[in-house]
Amino acid sequence: MKNRILLSLLCIGALLYVAVPRLPMGEDGLAGWFALIWLVVCLMAVGGNIAALMYLPKRKRVLNKLKFEQEKRERLRQY
């Protein structure tokens, strides 16, 4: 999960690096609106991935592993 999020951030960064100089930010009309909306959506994607990275559960795997080991010991006692 963490690798997928980091890969998404890397792809978004590459898109920003390539697209920002080419976006018509100073234009009037539809082109200017498109550039503004594209940047807002891109920044929302960055924010969502950073939030997912920050709130990624860290201890769940350790707890699942410990729980599995405990259940394994209990099953061995039953035999």
Side-chain angles (χ1 to χ4, degrees), residues 3-60:
N3 290 336
R4 183 188 63 82
I5 294 171
L6 291 175
L7 181 64
S8 296
L9 283 171
L10 181 67
C11 289
I12 294 168
L15 282 172
L16 280 171
Y17 179 75
V18 171
V20 168
R22 298 178 186 192
L23 285 174
M25 291 301 294
E27 296 286 324
D28 290 335
L30 193 58
W33 281 105
F34 173 78
L36 181 67
I37 290 171
W38 193 88
L39 283 175
V40 168
V41 169
C42 196
L43 291 176
M44 286 174 53
V46 168
N49 281 310
I50 289 175
L53 191 61
M54 287 175 53
Y55 295 111
L56 192 66
K58 296 178 184 177
R59 303 201 68 199
K60 191 172 186 178

